mmCIF file of all heavy atoms in Angstrom:
data_model
loop_
_atom_site.group_PDB
_atom_site.id
_atom_site.type_symbol
_atom_site.label_atom_id
_atom_site.label_comp_id
_atom_site.label_asym_id
_atom_site.label_seq_id
_atom_site.Cartn_x
_atom_site.Cartn_y
_atom_site.Cartn_z
ATOM 1 N N GLU R 1 4.139 -49.618 31.735
ATOM 2 C CA GLU R 1 3.941 -48.373 32.482
ATOM 3 C C GLU R 1 5.305 -47.736 32.664
ATOM 4 O O GLU R 1 6.091 -48.182 33.510
ATOM 5 C CB GLU R 1 3.292 -48.644 33.829
ATOM 6 C CG GLU R 1 1.847 -49.086 33.715
ATOM 7 C CD GLU R 1 1.170 -49.211 35.072
ATOM 8 O OE1 GLU R 1 1.590 -48.512 36.022
ATOM 9 O OE2 GLU R 1 0.228 -50.010 35.169
ATOM 10 N N GLY R 2 5.606 -46.753 31.863
ATOM 11 C CA GLY R 2 6.907 -46.096 31.935
ATOM 12 C C GLY R 2 8.015 -47.062 31.570
ATOM 13 O O GLY R 2 8.027 -47.624 30.482
ATOM 14 N N ASP R 3 8.945 -47.254 32.491
ATOM 15 C CA ASP R 3 10.098 -48.137 32.260
ATOM 16 C C ASP R 3 9.910 -49.528 32.859
ATOM 17 O O ASP R 3 10.876 -50.261 33.038
ATOM 18 C CB ASP R 3 11.371 -47.501 32.832
ATOM 19 C CG ASP R 3 11.821 -46.300 32.025
ATOM 20 O OD1 ASP R 3 11.481 -46.237 30.822
ATOM 21 O OD2 ASP R 3 12.498 -45.427 32.583
ATOM 22 N N ARG R 4 8.672 -49.895 33.155
ATOM 23 C CA ARG R 4 8.389 -51.223 33.708
ATOM 24 C C ARG R 4 7.327 -51.907 32.852
ATOM 25 O O ARG R 4 6.452 -51.258 32.290
ATOM 26 C CB ARG R 4 7.918 -51.118 35.150
ATOM 27 C CG ARG R 4 8.987 -50.483 36.046
ATOM 28 C CD ARG R 4 8.913 -50.907 37.478
ATOM 29 N NE ARG R 4 8.929 -52.324 37.731
ATOM 30 C CZ ARG R 4 10.021 -53.080 37.827
ATOM 31 N NH1 ARG R 4 11.198 -52.564 37.627
ATOM 32 N NH2 ARG R 4 9.941 -54.362 38.106
ATOM 33 N N ALA R 5 7.414 -53.225 32.777
ATOM 34 C CA ALA R 5 6.438 -53.988 32.005
ATOM 35 C C ALA R 5 6.053 -55.251 32.771
ATOM 36 O O ALA R 5 6.852 -55.791 33.536
ATOM 37 C CB ALA R 5 7.014 -54.369 30.640
ATOM 38 N N THR R 6 4.834 -55.705 32.548
ATOM 39 C CA THR R 6 4.354 -56.973 33.078
ATOM 40 C C THR R 6 3.944 -57.829 31.884
ATOM 41 O O THR R 6 3.222 -57.362 31.001
ATOM 42 C CB THR R 6 3.146 -56.773 34.006
ATOM 43 O OG1 THR R 6 3.535 -55.934 35.087
ATOM 44 C CG2 THR R 6 2.643 -58.094 34.550
ATOM 45 N N ILE R 7 4.435 -59.059 31.853
ATOM 46 C CA ILE R 7 4.170 -59.979 30.758
ATOM 47 C C ILE R 7 3.475 -61.205 31.329
ATOM 48 O O ILE R 7 3.955 -61.791 32.302
ATOM 49 C CB ILE R 7 5.474 -60.414 30.059
ATOM 50 C CG1 ILE R 7 6.264 -59.192 29.591
ATOM 51 C CG2 ILE R 7 5.192 -61.348 28.901
ATOM 52 C CD1 ILE R 7 7.460 -58.890 30.432
ATOM 53 N N ARG R 8 2.365 -61.607 30.713
ATOM 54 C CA ARG R 8 1.662 -62.826 31.109
ATOM 55 C C ARG R 8 1.460 -63.672 29.863
ATOM 56 O O ARG R 8 1.207 -63.142 28.778
ATOM 57 C CB ARG R 8 0.302 -62.491 31.711
ATOM 58 C CG ARG R 8 0.391 -61.740 33.015
ATOM 59 C CD ARG R 8 -1.019 -61.451 33.564
ATOM 60 N NE ARG R 8 -0.950 -60.725 34.798
ATOM 61 C CZ ARG R 8 -0.967 -59.395 34.905
ATOM 62 N NH1 ARG R 8 -1.060 -58.645 33.828
ATOM 63 N NH2 ARG R 8 -0.885 -58.817 36.075
ATOM 64 N N ALA R 9 1.543 -65.000 30.006
ATOM 65 C CA ALA R 9 1.331 -65.899 28.867
ATOM 66 C C ALA R 9 1.039 -67.306 29.366
ATOM 67 O O ALA R 9 1.310 -67.643 30.521
ATOM 68 C CB ALA R 9 2.550 -65.919 27.958
ATOM 69 N N HIS R 10 0.496 -68.117 28.481
ATOM 70 C CA HIS R 10 0.280 -69.540 28.733
ATOM 71 C C HIS R 10 1.436 -70.303 28.088
ATOM 72 O O HIS R 10 1.975 -69.869 27.062
ATOM 73 C CB HIS R 10 -1.050 -70.005 28.134
ATOM 74 C CG HIS R 10 -2.228 -69.354 28.766
ATOM 75 N ND1 HIS R 10 -2.819 -69.834 29.904
ATOM 76 C CD2 HIS R 10 -2.903 -68.236 28.433
ATOM 77 C CE1 HIS R 10 -3.818 -69.046 30.244
ATOM 78 N NE2 HIS R 10 -3.891 -68.075 29.372
ATOM 79 N N LEU R 11 1.811 -71.440 28.664
ATOM 80 C CA LEU R 11 2.940 -72.209 28.156
ATOM 81 C C LEU R 11 2.630 -73.696 28.164
ATOM 82 O O LEU R 11 2.074 -74.219 29.132
ATOM 83 C CB LEU R 11 4.185 -71.968 29.022
ATOM 84 C CG LEU R 11 5.415 -72.781 28.671
ATOM 85 C CD1 LEU R 11 6.044 -72.266 27.385
ATOM 86 C CD2 LEU R 11 6.418 -72.740 29.802
ATOM 87 N N THR R 12 2.987 -74.366 27.074
ATOM 88 C CA THR R 12 3.006 -75.822 27.001
ATOM 89 C C THR R 12 4.419 -76.197 26.562
ATOM 90 O O THR R 12 4.961 -75.592 25.636
ATOM 91 C CB THR R 12 1.988 -76.357 25.973
ATOM 92 O OG1 THR R 12 0.691 -75.903 26.346
ATOM 93 C CG2 THR R 12 1.993 -77.869 25.937
ATOM 94 N N ALA R 13 5.029 -77.161 27.239
ATOM 95 C CA ALA R 13 6.402 -77.538 26.915
ATOM 96 C C ALA R 13 6.562 -79.052 26.950
ATOM 97 O O ALA R 13 6.082 -79.713 27.865
ATOM 98 C CB ALA R 13 7.378 -76.893 27.901
ATOM 99 N N VAL R 14 7.239 -79.575 25.935
ATOM 100 C CA VAL R 14 7.528 -81.003 25.833
ATOM 101 C C VAL R 14 9.040 -81.173 25.979
ATOM 102 O O VAL R 14 9.817 -80.475 25.326
ATOM 103 C CB VAL R 14 7.057 -81.582 24.476
ATOM 104 C CG1 VAL R 14 7.394 -83.054 24.381
ATOM 105 C CG2 VAL R 14 5.563 -81.344 24.289
ATOM 106 N N HIS R 15 9.451 -82.094 26.852
ATOM 107 C CA HIS R 15 10.866 -82.345 27.137
ATOM 108 C C HIS R 15 11.171 -83.814 26.847
ATOM 109 O O HIS R 15 10.561 -84.691 27.452
ATOM 110 C CB HIS R 15 11.172 -82.041 28.601
ATOM 111 C CG HIS R 15 10.762 -80.660 29.012
ATOM 112 N ND1 HIS R 15 9.469 -80.373 29.391
ATOM 113 C CD2 HIS R 15 11.459 -79.518 29.081
ATOM 114 C CE1 HIS R 15 9.395 -79.079 29.689
ATOM 115 N NE2 HIS R 15 10.588 -78.535 29.507
ATOM 116 N N VAL R 16 12.096 -84.071 25.941
ATOM 117 C CA VAL R 16 12.452 -85.426 25.519
ATOM 118 C C VAL R 16 13.836 -85.755 26.072
ATOM 119 O O VAL R 16 14.816 -85.074 25.765
ATOM 120 C CB VAL R 16 12.447 -85.541 23.971
ATOM 121 C CG1 VAL R 16 12.874 -86.933 23.529
ATOM 122 C CG2 VAL R 16 11.064 -85.195 23.424
ATOM 123 N N ARG R 17 13.915 -86.794 26.913
ATOM 124 C CA ARG R 17 15.204 -87.189 27.506
ATOM 125 C C ARG R 17 16.207 -87.631 26.456
ATOM 126 O O ARG R 17 17.359 -87.212 26.468
ATOM 127 C CB ARG R 17 15.019 -88.330 28.496
ATOM 128 C CG ARG R 17 14.508 -87.891 29.819
ATOM 129 C CD ARG R 17 14.478 -89.070 30.791
ATOM 130 N NE ARG R 17 13.709 -88.672 31.947
ATOM 131 C CZ ARG R 17 14.192 -87.935 32.936
ATOM 132 N NH1 ARG R 17 15.433 -87.547 32.924
ATOM 133 N NH2 ARG R 17 13.418 -87.582 33.946
ATOM 134 N N ARG R 18 15.800 -88.543 25.570
ATOM 135 C CA ARG R 18 16.693 -89.075 24.534
ATOM 136 C C ARG R 18 16.057 -88.860 23.172
ATOM 137 O O ARG R 18 14.932 -89.311 22.929
ATOM 138 C CB ARG R 18 16.958 -90.563 24.787
ATOM 139 C CG ARG R 18 17.886 -90.790 25.990
ATOM 140 C CD ARG R 18 18.084 -92.256 26.304
ATOM 141 N NE ARG R 18 16.915 -92.882 26.937
ATOM 142 C CZ ARG R 18 16.534 -92.667 28.202
ATOM 143 N NH1 ARG R 18 17.199 -91.842 28.965
ATOM 144 N NH2 ARG R 18 15.482 -93.284 28.696
ATOM 145 N N ALA R 19 16.792 -88.214 22.282
ATOM 146 C CA ALA R 19 16.275 -87.914 20.948
ATOM 147 C C ALA R 19 15.838 -89.183 20.223
ATOM 148 O O ALA R 19 14.900 -89.147 19.425
ATOM 149 C CB ALA R 19 17.328 -87.172 20.134
ATOM 150 N N ALA R 20 16.482 -90.305 20.511
ATOM 151 C CA ALA R 20 16.141 -91.574 19.858
ATOM 152 C C ALA R 20 14.808 -92.136 20.346
ATOM 153 O O ALA R 20 14.280 -93.062 19.740
ATOM 154 C CB ALA R 20 17.257 -92.597 20.093
ATOM 155 N N GLU R 21 14.257 -91.583 21.448
ATOM 156 C CA GLU R 21 12.984 -92.040 22.004
ATOM 157 C C GLU R 21 12.021 -90.857 22.174
ATOM 158 O O GLU R 21 11.671 -90.498 23.291
ATOM 159 C CB GLU R 21 13.212 -92.705 23.350
ATOM 160 C CG GLU R 21 14.082 -93.942 23.304
ATOM 161 C CD GLU R 21 14.263 -94.523 24.693
ATOM 162 O OE1 GLU R 21 13.322 -95.188 25.172
ATOM 163 O OE2 GLU R 21 15.329 -94.291 25.286
ATOM 164 N N PRO R 22 11.582 -90.249 21.071
ATOM 165 C CA PRO R 22 10.743 -89.050 21.188
ATOM 166 C C PRO R 22 9.374 -89.297 21.811
ATOM 167 O O PRO R 22 8.744 -88.361 22.301
ATOM 168 C CB PRO R 22 10.610 -88.567 19.743
ATOM 169 C CG PRO R 22 10.819 -89.786 18.910
ATOM 170 C CD PRO R 22 11.812 -90.625 19.680
ATOM 171 N N GLY R 23 8.926 -90.551 21.825
ATOM 172 C CA GLY R 23 7.630 -90.863 22.422
ATOM 173 C C GLY R 23 7.645 -90.869 23.932
ATOM 174 O O GLY R 23 6.593 -90.850 24.576
ATOM 175 N N VAL R 24 8.825 -90.886 24.525
ATOM 176 C CA VAL R 24 8.968 -90.848 25.982
ATOM 177 C C VAL R 24 9.334 -89.415 26.344
ATOM 178 O O VAL R 24 10.436 -88.953 26.049
ATOM 179 C CB VAL R 24 10.065 -91.823 26.466
ATOM 180 C CG1 VAL R 24 10.208 -91.744 27.976
ATOM 181 C CG2 VAL R 24 9.761 -93.231 26.001
ATOM 182 N N HIS R 25 8.381 -88.723 26.947
ATOM 183 C CA HIS R 25 8.648 -87.314 27.230
ATOM 184 C C HIS R 25 7.942 -86.840 28.492
ATOM 185 O O HIS R 25 7.039 -87.486 29.008
ATOM 186 C CB HIS R 25 8.268 -86.437 26.037
ATOM 187 C CG HIS R 25 6.896 -86.707 25.498
ATOM 188 N ND1 HIS R 25 5.759 -86.215 26.066
ATOM 189 C CD2 HIS R 25 6.500 -87.444 24.439
ATOM 190 C CE1 HIS R 25 4.720 -86.604 25.373
ATOM 191 N NE2 HIS R 25 5.140 -87.369 24.377
ATOM 192 N N PHE R 26 8.381 -85.696 28.971
ATOM 193 C CA PHE R 26 7.819 -85.004 30.124
ATOM 194 C C PHE R 26 7.167 -83.744 29.576
ATOM 195 O O PHE R 26 7.827 -82.934 28.925
ATOM 196 C CB PHE R 26 8.941 -84.676 31.115
ATOM 197 C CG PHE R 26 8.520 -83.803 32.265
ATOM 198 C CD1 PHE R 26 7.518 -84.204 33.127
ATOM 199 C CD2 PHE R 26 9.151 -82.599 32.498
ATOM 200 C CE1 PHE R 26 7.141 -83.408 34.202
ATOM 201 C CE2 PHE R 26 8.791 -81.807 33.578
ATOM 202 C CZ PHE R 26 7.786 -82.210 34.424
ATOM 203 N N THR R 27 5.867 -83.615 29.795
ATOM 204 C CA THR R 27 5.122 -82.492 29.241
ATOM 205 C C THR R 27 4.504 -81.689 30.377
ATOM 206 O O THR R 27 4.013 -82.259 31.358
ATOM 207 C CB THR R 27 4.017 -82.997 28.294
ATOM 208 O OG1 THR R 27 4.621 -83.843 27.319
ATOM 209 C CG2 THR R 27 3.315 -81.862 27.603
ATOM 210 N N ILE R 28 4.534 -80.356 30.246
ATOM 211 C CA ILE R 28 3.950 -79.479 31.262
ATOM 212 C C ILE R 28 3.057 -78.438 30.603
ATOM 213 O O ILE R 28 3.195 -78.130 29.421
ATOM 214 C CB ILE R 28 5.031 -78.763 32.103
ATOM 215 C CG1 ILE R 28 5.870 -77.826 31.239
ATOM 216 C CG2 ILE R 28 5.900 -79.767 32.837
ATOM 217 C CD1 ILE R 28 6.791 -76.916 32.022
ATOM 218 N N GLY R 29 2.158 -77.905 31.398
ATOM 219 C CA GLY R 29 1.317 -76.800 30.962
ATOM 220 C C GLY R 29 1.055 -75.877 32.124
ATOM 221 O O GLY R 29 0.945 -76.311 33.273
ATOM 222 N N GLY R 30 0.991 -74.617 31.848
ATOM 223 C CA GLY R 30 0.727 -73.640 32.891
ATOM 224 C C GLY R 30 0.771 -72.235 32.335
ATOM 225 O O GLY R 30 0.666 -72.023 31.127
ATOM 226 N N HIS R 31 0.952 -71.295 33.217
ATOM 227 C CA HIS R 31 1.055 -69.903 32.776
ATOM 228 C C HIS R 31 2.105 -69.192 33.609
ATOM 229 O O HIS R 31 2.473 -69.636 34.699
ATOM 230 C CB HIS R 31 -0.301 -69.192 32.852
ATOM 231 C CG HIS R 31 -1.084 -69.478 34.087
ATOM 232 N ND1 HIS R 31 -0.938 -68.779 35.251
ATOM 233 C CD2 HIS R 31 -2.014 -70.432 34.333
ATOM 234 C CE1 HIS R 31 -1.753 -69.254 36.165
ATOM 235 N NE2 HIS R 31 -2.424 -70.269 35.632
ATOM 236 N N TYR R 32 2.609 -68.115 33.054
ATOM 237 C CA TYR R 32 3.632 -67.379 33.775
ATOM 238 C C TYR R 32 3.358 -65.885 33.777
ATOM 239 O O TYR R 32 2.593 -65.368 32.965
ATOM 240 C CB TYR R 32 5.032 -67.670 33.235
ATOM 241 C CG TYR R 32 5.317 -67.200 31.828
ATOM 242 C CD1 TYR R 32 5.694 -65.891 31.567
ATOM 243 C CD2 TYR R 32 5.251 -68.082 30.766
ATOM 244 C CE1 TYR R 32 5.981 -65.473 30.285
ATOM 245 C CE2 TYR R 32 5.534 -67.678 29.476
ATOM 246 C CZ TYR R 32 5.898 -66.365 29.245
ATOM 247 O OH TYR R 32 6.177 -65.960 27.970
ATOM 248 N N GLU R 33 3.989 -65.236 34.734
ATOM 249 C CA GLU R 33 3.980 -63.789 34.819
ATOM 250 C C GLU R 33 5.411 -63.342 35.031
ATOM 251 O O GLU R 33 6.118 -63.879 35.889
ATOM 252 C CB GLU R 33 3.098 -63.297 35.962
ATOM 253 C CG GLU R 33 3.043 -61.777 36.028
ATOM 254 C CD GLU R 33 2.032 -61.262 37.026
ATOM 255 O OE1 GLU R 33 0.863 -61.690 36.970
ATOM 256 O OE2 GLU R 33 2.434 -60.428 37.862
#
């Protein structure tokens, strides 16, 4: 709307503490605005 925008999306993210252990991870899901 003019010079302003609203963005919405769904997100899934995987976070791996140590690259050598990819099976150990913290995963999240949600949505943002």
Side-chain angles (χ1 to χ4, degrees):
E1 290 186 27
D3 289 335
R4 299 207 54 85
T6 300
I7 305 105
R8 294 181 181 92
H10 296 274
L11 176 73
T12 302
V14 179
H15 306 84
V16 178
R17 281 185 193 280
R18 287 176 286 287
E21 298 179 78
V24 179
H25 49 80
F26 172 59
T27 306
I28 64 170
H31 43 87
Y32 66 83
E33 182 172 308

